[in-house]
Amino acid sequence: MLSIILPAYNEEEMICIAVETISGIMRRESILFEIVLVDDGSQDRTWEKIQEASAQQEHVVGLHFSRNFGKEAAMFAGLEHASGDCCVVMDCDLQHPPEKIVEMYRLWEQGYEVVEGIKEERGDETQLHRFAASSFYKLISRAAQIDMEKSSDFKLLDRKVVDALNQIKERSVFFRALSYWVGFRRASVSYAVQERQAGQSKWSTRKLFQYALKNITSFSSAPMQIVTWSGVLFFILAVVLSIQTLARKLSGQALDGFTTVILLEALASGLIMISIGIIGYYIARIYDEIKQRPRYIISKTCGENNRKQEAQTAQRKDRGET
């Protein structure tokens, strides 16, 4: 069975559209499936729409967070509660084209364990947002030593990969990078980002920056190395200026040193404050991890009985019963 995981935040207009579109494609291709909708603490009627979809279609399962925990937590909640032999993670707004699920599934049937969705085109975005997104992916690719410039959260994972990801106990997780980190046999499917049919994007340049900062520090220690290399460069600068000052002293030239001292003090102070800030941010992340709070809290569920009935029906079909 294929589990399709859809994180949703304030997507009341897209729930029914997404469920009907994906269900139609799966039925047309005769693929046994379930849809796991994760409401990430939405403030609109998203949960009511999920309940309606679950009541109308037996293959829909819903999870409702007690508050907004973020997309990463929602994706991992879906993975932990999915029962399929493979799972597809995609956006609820259908900007990830659902037709590509079939192509991913066929590659999985051929033995591939991770099928990555690769963006051909980012769709209709502002130049500022496009530049910010491009800069983030270049930065995280260099920091994590993984090429993620065209990667996305749209991917299919075999049950072995899902189990491996579910064993990771970190609180601050970066799904896109961790799905690379676990390895396994990989293939890719290219796609163009589709336009939304309803609703508005929940991402902004500010949120993208916060997302980048959180994920870079959760997956890489590269910013800590900036502190080290800045200290090395400043030490080299200090040595050069010391040699220059000593040479002038020995030659009997008058020293103007006051301006130089002020500039060095300002540079050193700025560097120290930035370094302390970076180190402090990492300490804060360590503090969050050692508290071992859960990534998310589920307050409500729906569709669990439908899943049990569907599993029993499938077992009867396998035994040849009517």
Side-chain angles (χ1 to χ4, degrees):
M1 183 173 71
L2 170 63
S3 295
I4 303 168
I5 299 165
L6 303 176
Y9 178 66
N10 292 343
E11 294 286 4
E12 61 179 351
E13 297 179 67
M14 284 301 303
I15 295 298
C16 293
I17 297 174
V19 169
E20 291 174 3
T21 301
I22 294 171
S23 299
I25 293 172
M26 295 299 103
R27 291 194 181 102
R28 188 166 62 247
E29 297 293 331
S30 301
I31 298 175
L32 182 63
F33 73 103
E34 68 172 359
I35 298 176
V36 181
L37 287 157
V38 185
D39 178 14
D40 186 19
S42 299
Q43 299 175 352
D44 60 1
R45 299 183 64 249
T46 296
W47 178 242
E48 286 78 2
K49 292 296 183 180
I50 291 175
Q51 289 178 306
E52 291 176 11
S54 177
Q56 295 170 2
Q57 303 202 42
E58 62 182 11
H59 55 265
V60 175
V61 177
L63 308 173
H64 177 60
F65 284 177
S66 60
R67 65 170 178 83
N68 177 248
F69 284 92
K71 184 180 179 181
E72 301 292 324
M75 289 188 289
F76 272 87
L79 291 174
E80 290 173 6
H81 288 80
S83 59
D85 301 304
C86 60
C87 300
V88 166
V89 179
M90 64 181 296
D91 289 348
C92 185
D93 55 18
L94 297 187
Q95 289 191 294
H96 296 153
E99 297 82 9
K100 291 292 181 177
I101 298 175
V102 179
E103 190 175 344
M104 290 178 166
Y105 186 79
R106 299 309 178 200
L107 286 169
W108 174 74
E109 289 182 321
Q110 296 174 25
Y112 291 100
E113 295 161 320
V114 178
V115 183
E116 179 80 23
I118 302 296
K119 296 177 183 176
E120 290 179 342
E121 174 59 43
R122 295 193 62 87
D124 186 17
E125 293 180 346
T126 64
Q127 290 297 323
L128 178 60
H129 191 89
R130 191 183 299 269
F131 172 77
S134 176
S135 300
F136 162 63
Y137 290 120
K138 287 180 180 178
L139 184 59
I140 187 64
S141 295
R142 291 179 181 176
Q145 300 298 309
I146 297 172
D147 184 11
M148 292 190 294
E149 290 195 38
K150 293 185 178 180
S151 67
S152 68
D153 294 325
F154 185 31
K155 58 191 67 185
L156 179 146
L157 307 172
D158 182 80
R159 171 50 57 181
K160 290 186 291 186
V161 184
V162 173
D163 291 341
L165 288 171
N166 288 338
Q167 289 175 8
I168 297 173
K169 300 305 179 183
E170 300 170 19
R171 183 180 181 276
S172 297
V173 289
F174 186 17
F175 171 71
R176 199 170 305 185
L178 287 173
S179 63
Y180 273 96
W181 179 82
V182 294
F184 295 96
R185 190 183 180 200
R186 316 181 72 85
S188 62
V189 170
S190 60
Y191 72 95
V193 176
Q194 306 297 301
E195 292 186 8
R196 272 179 165 268
Q197 297 184 37
Q200 295 180 346
S201 174
K202 309 306 181 292
W203 289 99
S204 64
T205 302
R206 179 180 62 84
K207 288 184 177 180
L208 183 63
F209 176 78
Q210 294 174 340
Y211 179 77
L213 183 62
K214 176 183 176 182
N215 289 322
I216 288 172
T217 53
S218 68
F219 199 75
S220 172
S221 61
M224 295 289 285
Q225 306 308 314
I226 295 175
V227 176
T228 302
W229 286 109
S230 296
V232 171
L233 291 174
F234 188 81
F235 175 76
I236 293 172
L237 177 62
V239 170
V240 172
L241 290 175
S242 297
I243 293 173
Q244 182 188 37
T245 302
L246 181 60
R248 288 184 176 182
K249 178 68 174 178
L250 294 176
S251 65
Q253 296 180 10
L255 299 178
D256 297 327
F258 183 74
T259 302
T260 303
V261 170
I262 294 298
L263 290 175
L264 284 175
E265 286 291 341
L267 180 61
S269 299
L271 178 61
I272 290 171
M273 295 302 293
I274 292 172
S275 301
I276 291 174
I278 294 174
I279 295 171
Y281 192 83
Y282 272 92
I283 292 174
R285 301 304 297 272
I286 294 171
Y287 177 63
D288 287 339
E289 289 290 340
I290 62 175
K291 287 186 289 189
Q292 296 185 346
R293 292 176 181 172
R295 294 175 190 155
Y296 56 85
I297 298 173
I298 295 176
S299 60
K300 303 174 186 176
T301 63
C302 63
E304 295 291 340
N305 292 332
N306 293 345
R307 175 186 280 176
K308 294 177 181 178
Q309 293 174 2
E310 191 172 3
Q312 292 172 356
T313 301
Q315 290 176 358
R316 287 197 297 268
K317 288 181 179 179
D318 290 339
R319 294 195 300 264
E321 300 177 8
T322 58

